[in-house]
Amino acid sequence: MDRIVSKVRDFIIRHALIEQGDRVLLSLSAGKDSMLMFHILNLLRQELGFMMGVFHLNHQTRGAESDRDEEHLIRLAREHDFPIHIERYDFSANRIRGLSFEEHARAVRYERAEKISAGHGYNKIATAHTRNDHIETILMRIFTGTGIYGLRGIQARRDKIIRPLLALTSDEVYGYLTGLNISWLEDSSNTAISYPRNFIRHNLLPLARTRFSAADESIQSLSELAGDALLVLEELITQQYPSLYEFSDGDLYIEAGVLMRSEPLFSYAVTAGMRKYFNYHANRKMIGEIYAKYRTRRANIKLYRDNAIRADKVYATGRSRLKISEALPLGPDPAEWEYCIDVRDFHGARLCLEEIGISVAVEIVDYAYFEKFVKNNGYIFISMEKNIKSLYIRNRRKGDRMRTEQGMKKIKDLLIEKKLDNDRKERVPLLVADSEVIACMPGLLFDIPNRVSVDFLVDKNAGKVLSVCKN
């Protein structure tokens, strides 16, 4: 067995990344790392006993070059008789305020891959990150601000995401591909040093290596030491405070009172909780602000909020606790907004709801699709049997009502039943047909059930079903 193939195989086995019977979705570009991952996993597929498919997100930012990459991957998958899943997303037309292109692209890529894996039975998603990506990530985090957790860099496995190439360097990837005459396509944007990662890759690291020959090995060692330290800290916290965290109905409650004697202890425990339950990476300034406000004698106060998370001091059952919950993006204009869906000759649409910071897909589906996803709060299904002339998504207006099993009810009351605070209630989108509210859709923002008008509920006789889901 080739040395590089053997190195990847041993890494996969040592970290239990792929097991017999797995269905692995390869998230690929047409670049060097992706082509090597496709080639090696295809070689190891029978030995390790797994099945694989290919996913590609066309960013639509490089014109013909983006389409060229997509066509290359389609040909590659078909030549080897693998299923191929292509998604397109126009990042230029769907920019989200406060997110860099890299952050936005990464979020959409993982979101689309997760959706495809869930819909097609893949239990693992493989990305082609290498050791060089790992080193660059650690440096980028140091320069932009990170803690001990960020120093770990890219992990071999996170939930269903696996990185089988982390043991390889870029030089090893290049040598293997050229040695076997395996082709790849270059992404012209990879040379643009306006992107932080490219600046580190092309300018900073090469310069550091000329002076410090063991730079990569030293950064790798730092990463491993940080990982070991985190394991020790987590074990000590769990032993000392076994009831520190309570996660209920999407909110995290922390017994912060026992942590107040030490700000570093408070900082670590709160940061770890945010990371574990919300995949949120807090900075030092933010945690310091929460700590200072929590120390006051006041109860039931807002401590912090940004466009992703909020922290409150709440008092109940005779004690104060720190409550962490998801927050919607800050600052949507309270003015009315709406997005029209053209129902004439309708085949599907994707809408970017900028005011609440999400994108949605709207499409016609069959009853089998409805049955598959009806219990998923991220989906809303509407019977389209009625002759609807206009359809749009908008925010709530004063006096909005919807027909329920108990008769007409105010949307405001339906949202109060969901125990949403005022900020969240104001941002819940509604689906409106002609002038009638037919769906209240908090599930697009929070993991709670949606409500559909009784006049538009889907049953087995529905010949035409409209699906709205978070994109």
Side-chain angles (χ1 to χ4, degrees):
M1 180 180 288
D2 180 271
R3 182 184 70 84
I4 297 297
V5 177
S6 179
K7 192 172 182 179
V8 173
R9 174 187 177 276
D10 292 346
F11 185 82
I12 289 172
I13 293 173
R14 182 165 70 253
H15 293 276
L17 300 185
I18 299 176
E19 299 172 316
Q20 189 164 359
D22 280 346
R23 289 175 54 83
V24 183
L25 181 65
L26 276 58
S27 179
L28 301 181
S29 69
K32 291 192 293 291
D33 301 339
S34 287
M35 292 302 95
L36 181 128
M37 182 170 74
F38 178 89
H39 180 81
I40 291 184
L41 290 189
N42 187 28
L43 290 176
L44 295 174
R45 184 167 47 89
Q46 289 188 340
E47 178 189 347
L48 298 181
F50 67 94
M51 300 174 64
M52 69 187 211
V54 174
F55 159 71
H56 173 68
L57 176 65
N58 185 334
H59 296 71
Q60 298 182 263
T61 54
R62 295 177 287 122
E65 192 177 287
S66 293
D67 295 336
R68 175 206 65 180
D69 292 356
E70 176 183 318
E71 292 163 3
H72 178 77
L73 288 165
I74 290 173
R75 286 195 302 271
L76 182 68
R78 287 177 177 169
E79 283 172 9
H80 292 82
D81 198 27
F82 291 132
I84 175 84
H85 309 274
I86 299 293
E87 290 281 317
R88 291 183 161 217
Y89 188 91
D90 189 342
F91 285 91
S92 299
N94 293 286
R95 292 178 180 175
I96 294 181
R97 195 181 313 148
L99 279 183
S100 69
F101 169 76
E102 292 169 298
E103 292 170 327
H104 190 191
R106 182 169 57 251
V108 172
R109 191 162 54 247
Y110 280 122
E111 185 179 67
R112 294 290 178 88
E114 173 61 37
K115 183 178 177 181
I116 288 170
S117 71
H120 294 270
Y122 296 101
N123 64 321
K124 302 279 178 65
I125 299 171
T127 68
H129 292 95
T130 65
R131 184 185 179 192
N132 288 63
D133 295 312
H134 171 67
I135 299 298
E136 293 159 6
T137 296
I138 294 171
L139 284 177
M140 192 157 57
R141 289 176 179 175
I142 290 173
F143 293 132
T144 57
T146 191
I148 188 172
Y149 185 85
L151 293 178
R152 298 191 316 161
I154 301 174
Q155 297 301 290
R157 181 170 184 173
R158 178 174 60 82
D159 299 326
K160 68 191 318 183
I161 308 295
I162 60 172
R163 281 99 179 201
L165 304 189
L166 271 184
L168 301 183
T169 66
S170 290
D171 287 343
E172 288 175 315
V173 171
Y174 180 79
Y176 183 86
L177 293 177
T178 54
L180 293 178
N181 199 28
I182 298 172
S183 63
W184 69 87
L185 301 177
E186 292 289 354
D187 180 341
S188 59
S189 67
N190 284 341
T191 60
I193 61 172
S194 57
Y195 295 116
R197 181 178 293 276
N198 288 345
F199 174 76
I200 290 172
R201 176 179 298 165
H202 298 301
N203 289 30
L204 186 61
L205 264 173
L207 180 62
R209 288 169 183 142
T210 62
R211 183 67 181 267
F212 305 100
S213 59
D216 288 38
E217 289 75 13
S218 298
I219 296 171
Q220 175 65 32
S221 176
L222 175 65
S223 167
E224 294 169 0
L225 289 170
D228 292 344
L230 275 173
L231 289 175
V232 172
L233 284 170
E234 289 170 5
E235 185 174 342
L236 290 174
I237 290 284
T238 301
Q239 289 177 356
Q240 186 69 26
Y241 307 106
S243 303
L244 186 62
Y245 302 116
E246 178 190 343
F247 193 71
S248 175
D249 296 328
D251 298 319
L252 174 64
Y253 295 88
I254 303 176
E255 299 289 348
V258 300
L259 307 172
M260 297 308 294
R261 60 183 174 82
S262 167
E263 185 172 355
L265 176 63
F266 178 94
S267 177
Y268 175 80
V270 174
T271 302
M274 290 180 175
R275 186 173 59 244
K276 178 179 179 179
Y277 293 97
F278 298 98
N279 195 28
Y280 180 91
H281 299 271
N283 60 55
R284 189 179 183 88
K285 181 180 178 181
M286 167 190 172
I287 298 299
E289 182 179 333
I290 293 173
Y291 178 77
K293 289 182 178 179
Y294 194 93
R295 293 183 66 185
T296 66
R297 298 179 64 86
R298 296 169 60 196
N300 296 317
I301 58 172
K302 180 174 72 175
L303 304 176
Y304 181 87
R305 180 182 170 192
D306 63 16
N307 66 346
I309 208 160
R310 61 180 293 162
D312 299 277
K313 183 180 181 180
V314 297
Y315 184 84
T317 62
R319 70 192 192 282
S320 292
R321 293 194 293 176
L322 177 60
K323 177 184 176 183
I324 308 296
S325 51
E326 288 184 346
L328 288 167
L330 284 175
D333 191 333
E336 297 178 353
W337 56 264
E338 65 183 39
Y339 293 82
C340 182
I341 302 167
D342 190 351
V343 294
R344 297 169 299 177
D345 192 28
F346 181 76
H347 295 290
R350 283 188 168 88
L351 304 175
C352 181
L353 311 183
E354 294 184 358
E355 291 80 0
I356 57 175
I358 64 170
S359 296
V360 296
V362 187
E363 55 188 338
I364 299 297
V365 300
D366 57 21
Y367 188 76
Y369 187 90
F370 162 77
E371 283 192 307
K372 186 173 184 178
F373 293 103
V374 65
K375 294 183 180 180
N376 187 322
N377 292 331
Y379 288 76
I380 300 95
F381 295 97
I382 303 296
S383 172
M384 292 287 283
E385 294 302 302
K386 291 192 173 185
N387 183 24
I388 296 174
K389 296 180 180 178
S390 64
L391 188 68
Y392 46 99
I393 296 175
R394 64 166 172 80
N395 60 341
R396 183 170 65 90
R397 313 285 162 80
K398 187 176 181 180
D400 274 339
R401 286 174 163 78
M402 187 174 74
R403 191 179 302 281
T404 71
E405 293 83 351
Q406 293 78 38
M408 295 297 292
K409 292 196 71 170
K410 290 182 178 180
I411 299 297
K412 178 181 177 181
D413 293 337
L414 293 177
L415 296 176
I416 289 174
E417 291 174 5
K418 304 293 185 186
K419 299 181 180 180
L420 297 178
D421 58 30
N422 288 333
D423 290 334
R424 295 184 177 191
K425 283 189 293 188
E426 290 302 321
R427 293 168 171 81
V428 170
L430 307 179
L431 185 63
V432 179
D434 300 327
S435 59
E436 179 184 353
V437 176
I438 63 173
C440 177
M441 306 184 290
L444 294 179
L445 301 168
F446 320 106
D447 190 19
I448 56 178
N450 302 292
R451 291 291 295 269
V452 175
S453 166
V454 292
D455 297 329
F456 290 83
L457 292 173
V458 175
D459 58 32
K460 291 183 178 180
N461 298 318
K464 198 174 182 183
V465 178
L466 183 80
S467 164
V468 179
C469 69
K470 187 175 178 181
N471 201 15

